[in-house]
């Protein structure tokens, strides 16, 4: 590599995106992919989370399992030790791979059906029994359900499955309450009828007795006998009407209807709770509120009647005016949640404009928002990315609404967050699940890899927000499943052979630029550089971003890629895309702070506590020195002992250093007492070129001419520990200098 060479055409491309001259090639048609993806050429051959089993049969019905976990569990139970077991395991794993291949090729169906379909395809020549064994081995599995791959339809199917499981659990509990009250109320009416004059008529007595012995009894004589002890007062008419009305409402309630009734031709009305847009879901919720209030009213009346606690003088007036305005959060939580799965590319449709209003209102609705394209162009201007304006920022905005349970993740990570998804559907109130489905890219990468790349590169980080998990943000917000969450970019070892066929292992970061490289639509932002033109001016993209902009000079960022033949390539990234990468990193830093990583408040508090401890320690040493000298009373020997004691004390103190003469400073120059900086970042928010941070995240003066004297004075005024000394203005023509000099006097 020519460490001294500088190629003008490379710098021109970086600055302008124009390819001019030799040695700066377009990447169209080269089949480039990020270098770390070289290991994933044949995804169906790998064992990973997909495909998923949406279990709807067996003891685990309602759960989500990965096919690999089901196979592992089955082999653990049936495969014997030794060669026979090893042979069986090999056959079963080949069959699992064939099922994965069928799905990748567009197949679909239940796990049992696809298993049977794949068994003949992996038949072993000379071993006819293998096919039958593999065909019937699935009988050992006690579960079944649809198999889904990581495709466009998967997020909606997975969330619908999880939502249905949550509603079934809620419905079971609700129907248990309703059925208990129906039985109790029916018993009250039946008992009142039996003891009434009508209930003691011959026909009523005949109907109450079993059919086997009806002809043995004289029901006319029985009626005359029991009528002698009949009570004078029957069930009061008002109570009868109240009980019959409550019974009718509970039996016909359309929210969780009795499954036995829904099978009849005259089945009662039932409500649908799945929608594909927010407007329809919100309208249905509002229209059904009166019906919901009627059911809650019937439940309340029934409970009072069953307990014998209904007092007409007290309760009639209350229930006469009971409507949807009287519903509590506990009342609404008993009923089904609404599910809205917004179709891909319909997020901006007018019918979904009320999404945030619906969430902020706390409606019992769970919304799936799928993002198909993270690299949309900005509405204003051309060629500038609106990175995450309507995608990755949506979920973060929703966390500020209060009671909304928020899950953001890539579709490739949905299985890993299945427990969080279940918790979000059990959440009382609104919920938002924001998923990047990877469906917008036009390359040949599987959607699983595209989605995983978005999460890996911080373009679409995963996080969850549970509003009721605790009293602090640390308990409510979690950066779950993001690789290496404390770092700007995840770093993985990349192994390859160099031009001399020598093994090389490099720690390779995966940045947003690597993610964008996966999408051929944005090939214009990259240029391949032939190996003979690699030079020292080309540096990795993550290193380029980490440098001070002043020190970058003519350096150019690149990412590593492999072509269709798995040959290693260097690809320069243009300045426009690097700006997007930097913005994405900034957003990741904000998420890190929310998740407790590099928390600025904690760092400021730690710096203050450290400074206070050092001051207290210094005072203790000074007090010890003073008391020792006083006790010495001028005795020379004792003074020597005192000095020696002080020296030993200083040497034993880790933070103590030998006193040095303070450097002489020009009173006209601005300076910062860097050692006392608490890392509050307030000066950098005023001008991050004027004020810089060292490796300890403590401030110092950068380029004084990169800012104004006004900014210097304002920074001194807001500094929490008053360590900024403005000096004198470098520009004598700056407006308002007399006033600024007067304000600066207090900090010189």
């Amino acid at each position: 590599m020519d460490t001294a060479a500088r190629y003008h055409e490379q710098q021109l491309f970086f600055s302008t995106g124009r390819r001019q001259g030799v040695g700066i090639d377009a990447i169209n048609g080269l089949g480039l992919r990020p270098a770390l993806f070289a290991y994933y050429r044949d995804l169906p051959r790998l064992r990973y989370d997909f495909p998923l089993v949406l279990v709807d049969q067996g003891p685990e019905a309602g759960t989500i399992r990965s096919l690999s976990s089901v196979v592992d569990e089955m082999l653990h139970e049936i495969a014997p030790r030794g060669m026979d077991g090893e042979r069986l395991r090999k056959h079963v794993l080949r069959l699992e791979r064939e099922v994965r291949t069928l799905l990748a090729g567009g197949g679909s169906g239940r796990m049992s059906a696809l298993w049977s379909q794949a068994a003949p395809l992996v038949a072993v020549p000379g071993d006819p029994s293998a096919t039958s064994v593999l065909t019937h081995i699935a009988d050992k599995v006690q579960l079944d359900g649809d198999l889904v791959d990581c495709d466009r339809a998967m997020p909606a199917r997975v969330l619908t499955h999880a939502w249905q499981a949550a509603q079934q659990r809620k419905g079971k509990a609700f129907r248990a309450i309703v059925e208990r009250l129906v039985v109790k109320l029916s018993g009250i009416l039946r008992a009142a009828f039996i003891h009434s004059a009508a209930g003691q008529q011959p026909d009523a007595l005949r109907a109450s007795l079993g059919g086997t012995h009806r002809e043995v009894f004289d029901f006319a004589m029985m009626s005359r006998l029991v009528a002698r002890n009949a009570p004078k007062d029957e069930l009061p008419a008002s109570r009868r009407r109240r009980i019959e009305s409550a019974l009718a409402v509970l039996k016909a309630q359309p929210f969780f209807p009795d499954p036995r009734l829904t099978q009849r031709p005259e089945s009662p009305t039932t409500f649908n709770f799945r929608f594909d847009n927010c407007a329809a879901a919100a309208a249905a919720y509002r229209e059904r509120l009166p019906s919901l209030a009627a059911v809650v009213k019937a439940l309340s009346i029934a409970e009072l009647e069953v307990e014998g606690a209904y007092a007409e003088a007290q309760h009639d007036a209350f229930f006469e005016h009971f409507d949807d305005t009287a519903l509590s959060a506990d009342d609404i939580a008993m009923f089904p949640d609404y599910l809205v799965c917004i179709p891909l590319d319909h997020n901006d449709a007018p019918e979904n404009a009320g999404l945030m209003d619906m969430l902020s209102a706390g409606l019992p609705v769970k919304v799936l928002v799928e993002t198909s394209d993270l690299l949309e162009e900005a509405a204003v201007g051309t060629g500038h990315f609106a990175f995450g304006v309507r995608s990755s920022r949506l979920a973060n905005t929703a966390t500020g609404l209060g009671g909304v349970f928020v899950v953001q993740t890539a579709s490739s990570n949905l299985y890993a967050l299945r427990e969080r998804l279940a918790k979000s559907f059990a959440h009382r109130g609104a919920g938002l699940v924001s998923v990047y489905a990877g469906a917008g890219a036009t390359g040949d990468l599987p959607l699983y890899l595209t989605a995983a790349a978005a999460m890996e590169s911080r373009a679409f980080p995963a996080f969850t927000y549970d509003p009721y998990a605790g009293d602090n943000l640390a308990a409510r917000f979690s950066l779950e499943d993001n690789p290496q969450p404390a770092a700007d970019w995840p770093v993985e070892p990349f192994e390859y052979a160099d031009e001399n066929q020598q093994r090389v292992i490099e720690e390779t970061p995966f940045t947003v630029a690597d993610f964008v490289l996966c999408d051929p639509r944005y090939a214009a932002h990259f240029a391949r550089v032939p190996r003979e033109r690699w030079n020292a001016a080309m540096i990795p993209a993550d290193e380029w971003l980490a440098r001070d902009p002043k020190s970058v000079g003519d350096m150019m960022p690149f990412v590593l890629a492999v072509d269709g033949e798995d040959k290693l390539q260097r690809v320069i990234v243009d300045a426009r895309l690097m700006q997007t990468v930097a913005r994405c990193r900034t957003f990741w830093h904000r998420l890190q702070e929310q998740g407790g990583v590099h928390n600025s408040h904690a760092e400021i508090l730690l710096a203050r506590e450290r400074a206070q401890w050092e001051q207290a320690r210094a005072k203790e040493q000074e007090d010890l020195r003073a008391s020792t000298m006083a006790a010495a009373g001028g005795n020379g020997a004792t003074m020597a002992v005192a000095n020696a004691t002080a020296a030993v004390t200083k040497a034993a103190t880790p933070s103590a250093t030998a006193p040095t003469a303070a450097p002489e400073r020009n009173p006209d120059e601005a300076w910062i007492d860097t050692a006392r900086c608490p890392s509050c970042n307030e000066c950098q928010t005023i001008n991050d070129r004027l004020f810089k941070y060292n490796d300890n995240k403590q401030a110092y003066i950068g380029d004084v001419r990169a800012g104004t004297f006004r900014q210097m004075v304002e920074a001194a005024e807001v500094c929490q520990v008053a360590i900024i000394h403005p000096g004198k203005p470098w520009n004598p023509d700056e407006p308002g200098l007399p006033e600024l000099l007067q304000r600066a006097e207090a900090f010189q």
Side-chain angles (χ1 to χ4, degrees):
M1 182 187 300
D2 183 1
T3 59
R6 297 291 187 271
Y7 295 102
H8 173 72
E9 64 272 13
Q10 296 178 5
Q11 188 63 44
L12 178 66
F13 171 79
F14 169 71
S15 302
T16 67
R18 293 168 50 200
R19 297 186 186 90
Q20 184 174 317
V22 296
I24 192 80
D25 303 332
I27 69 169
N28 307 76
L30 297 179
L32 296 184
R33 58 172 60 190
L36 289 174
F37 279 4
Y39 308 113
Y40 308 109
R41 287 288 182 187
D42 191 358
L43 199 56
R45 295 182 64 88
L46 303 178
R47 300 194 80 212
Y48 61 110
D49 286 345
F50 287 85
L52 303 179
V53 186
L54 306 182
V55 184
D56 58 14
Q57 180 180 316
E60 297 183 45
T63 62
I64 302 171
R65 296 285 302 274
S66 71
L67 177 63
S68 296
S69 70
V70 174
V71 170
D72 288 343
E73 189 175 278
M74 178 176 58
L75 288 175
H76 179 74
E77 294 180 2
I78 67 173
R81 294 178 179 272
M83 291 302 298
D84 291 338
E86 188 61 30
R87 187 179 299 111
L88 178 60
R89 278 188 286 271
K90 184 181 296 185
H91 290 332
V92 171
L93 291 177
R94 287 180 61 232
L95 190 144
E96 176 195 339
R97 186 175 66 197
E98 189 61 38
V99 170
R100 189 174 283 113
T101 301
L102 288 173
L103 282 172
S108 62
R110 297 178 66 78
M111 183 183 73
S112 55
L114 285 167
W115 189 279
S116 299
Q117 182 181 346
L121 301 177
V122 294
V124 180
D127 187 3
S129 63
T131 301
S132 59
V133 169
L134 292 175
T135 301
H136 298 292
I137 201 172
D139 296 338
K140 299 292 184 179
V141 183
Q142 300 300 312
L143 57 86
D144 198 8
D146 288 343
L147 274 180
V148 294
D149 204 0
C150 190
D151 54 22
R152 292 174 65 95
M154 183 274 296
R157 293 186 66 183
V158 166
L159 262 70
T160 299
H161 181 77
W163 172 80
Q164 287 175 332
Q167 302 319 299
Q168 287 172 359
R169 289 190 293 269
K170 186 182 286 190
K172 184 177 180 180
F174 183 86
R175 284 195 299 272
I177 295 173
V178 169
E179 289 170 4
R180 176 180 64 84
L181 293 175
V182 166
V183 170
K184 294 285 187 179
L185 292 181
S186 299
I188 293 174
L189 292 178
R190 188 179 301 109
F193 175 77
I194 291 173
H195 292 92
S196 68
Q200 295 179 1
Q201 294 300 310
D203 291 342
L205 292 173
R206 181 179 290 106
S208 66
L209 193 65
T212 305
H213 303 290
R214 279 182 180 175
E215 302 305 324
V216 179
F217 292 93
D218 184 346
F219 289 102
M221 178 60 70
M222 184 182 295
S223 176
R224 288 194 295 272
L225 291 174
V226 298
R228 297 175 182 175
N229 297 320
K232 298 293 182 180
D233 297 322
E234 297 182 3
L235 192 69
S238 60
R239 188 183 184 198
R240 180 182 296 278
R241 287 194 300 271
R242 195 163 53 244
I243 292 177
E244 289 177 344
S245 175
L247 264 176
V249 171
L250 294 181
K251 288 181 178 180
Q253 59 85 19
F255 296 94
F256 289 116
D258 189 334
R260 296 166 295 184
L261 299 178
T262 56
Q263 305 301 320
R264 300 177 182 176
E266 66 281 4
S267 61
T269 302
T270 59
F271 288 151
N272 172 44
F273 294 91
R274 291 172 55 185
F275 298 88
D276 62 3
N277 68 85
C278 298
Y285 174 76
R286 289 191 295 267
E287 291 170 2
R288 297 168 185 176
L289 270 179
S291 298
L292 191 149
V295 176
V296 172
K297 176 180 175 180
L299 287 170
S300 302
I301 290 174
E303 291 283 5
L304 290 170
E305 288 292 356
V306 167
E307 297 295 331
Y310 193 99
E312 293 184 350
Q314 175 184 354
H315 295 115
D316 277 356
F318 173 76
F319 286 112
E320 182 181 356
H321 298 92
F322 190 94
D323 58 16
D324 56 271
T325 61
L327 294 172
S328 67
D330 290 337
D331 295 332
I332 296 175
M334 292 190 300
F335 293 85
D337 291 323
Y338 292 72
L339 177 66
V340 179
C341 293
I342 300 176
L344 277 167
D345 304 320
H346 283 69
N347 296 345
D348 293 335
E351 58 267 25
N352 295 316
L355 168 62
M356 299 305 287
D357 291 337
M358 187 169 63
L359 295 177
S360 62
L363 270 60
V365 60
K366 315 302 183 192
V367 184
L368 167 64
V369 176
E370 293 187 75
T371 300
S372 63
D373 195 353
L374 294 177
L375 305 176
E376 55 194 349
E377 298 288 342
V380 179
T382 58
H384 295 277
F385 297 120
F387 215 97
V389 170
R390 297 195 299 270
S391 52
S392 58
R393 304 294 175 88
L394 175 64
N396 197 47
T397 301
T399 61
L401 296 179
V404 182
F405 197 113
V406 180
V407 177
Q408 173 173 296
T409 190
S411 58
S412 59
N413 194 50
L414 274 175
Y415 177 70
L417 288 186
R418 61 194 181 280
E419 293 182 2
R420 278 289 178 166
L421 288 177
K423 194 170 184 180
S424 72
F425 284 118
H427 169 69
R428 292 171 52 176
L432 173 68
V433 180
S434 179
V435 174
Y436 173 63
T442 60
D444 59 355
L445 282 179
L447 293 184
Y448 174 83
L449 285 182
T450 306
M455 180 174 149
E456 188 90 2
S457 66
R458 321 300 196 199
F460 200 85
F463 67 83
T464 59
Y465 179 79
D466 183 350
Y468 303 130
D471 296 331
N472 54 70
L473 190 61
R476 297 191 295 268
F477 189 91
S478 175
L479 286 173
E480 291 187 273
D481 276 4
N482 290 286
Q484 303 171 28
D488 283 356
W489 318 105
V491 177
E492 302 292 343
F494 175 60
E495 182 177 342
Y496 63 94
D498 63 14
E499 61 272 20
N500 298 318
Q501 299 302 309
Q502 297 299 306
R503 181 186 181 190
V504 179
I505 300 178
E506 291 185 4
E507 293 295 318
T508 304
F510 197 87
T511 70
V512 176
D514 295 273
F515 166 64
V516 179
L517 182 64
C518 299
D519 195 335
R521 292 174 300 171
Y522 302 96
H525 296 279
F526 300 94
R528 184 185 75 92
V529 177
R531 178 176 289 272
E532 62 271 14
R533 286 182 172 260
W534 291 6
N535 59 85
M538 299 168 61
I539 61 175
D542 66 311
E543 182 181 336
W544 188 91
L545 281 171
R547 292 196 177 193
D548 189 301
K550 292 289 185 182
S551 66
V552 169
D554 59 355
M555 298 292 184
M556 291 159 295
F558 74 86
V559 294
L560 290 177
V562 292
D563 59 19
E565 299 178 352
D566 278 341
K567 291 182 179 179
L568 189 64
Q569 307 288 346
R570 279 189 181 183
V571 181
I572 295 177
V573 187
D574 71 8
R576 184 174 294 164
L577 179 55
M578 289 306 296
Q579 291 172 4
T580 297
V581 177
R583 288 198 298 271
C584 185
R585 183 185 61 172
T586 298
F587 181 63
W588 169 245
H589 287 170
R590 294 173 184 171
L591 282 182
Q592 282 181 312
E593 190 157 2
Q594 285 181 258
V597 180
H598 306 315
N599 187 288
S600 61
H601 296 286
E603 290 174 353
I604 292 172
L605 181 60
L606 180 62
R608 288 177 179 171
E609 291 294 328
R610 184 188 297 116
Q612 291 175 3
W613 181 87
E614 291 175 352
Q615 291 175 2
R617 188 67 175 170
K619 187 175 184 305
E620 289 178 5
Q621 294 173 8
E622 191 61 34
D623 291 345
L624 178 62
R625 180 192 295 271
S627 61
T628 304
M629 292 178 64
N635 185 291
T638 309
M639 285 292 291
V641 172
N643 290 334
T645 302
V648 170
T649 304
K650 279 190 175 184
T653 305
S655 60
T657 58
T660 57
E664 295 185 4
R665 297 186 181 277
N666 185 339
D668 293 341
E669 291 182 357
W671 65 286
I672 294 178
D673 191 354
T674 301
R676 295 175 52 210
C677 175
S679 307
C680 68
N681 202 38
E682 291 181 352
C683 60
Q684 283 203 315
T685 60
I686 295 175
N687 187 328
D688 59 1
R689 292 185 298 165
L690 177 58
F691 301 101
K692 297 290 187 180
Y693 266 0
N694 61 17
D695 292 341
N696 294 327
K697 291 192 174 181
Q698 292 179 301
Y700 67 93
I701 299 295
D703 183 0
V704 71
R705 293 180 177 268
T708 64
F709 189 64
R710 179 176 296 277
Q711 291 175 328
M712 186 74 73
V713 173
E714 290 175 350
E717 290 174 337
V718 300
C719 181
Q720 301 176 11
V721 289
I723 60 172
I724 299 178
H725 307 280
K728 297 296 175 63
W730 65 270
N731 180 10
D733 298 325
E734 182 176 335
L737 283 183
E739 177 202 357
L740 293 173
L741 287 168
Q742 185 176 1
R743 289 163 56 184
E745 282 296 329
F747 307 101
Q748 302 294 15

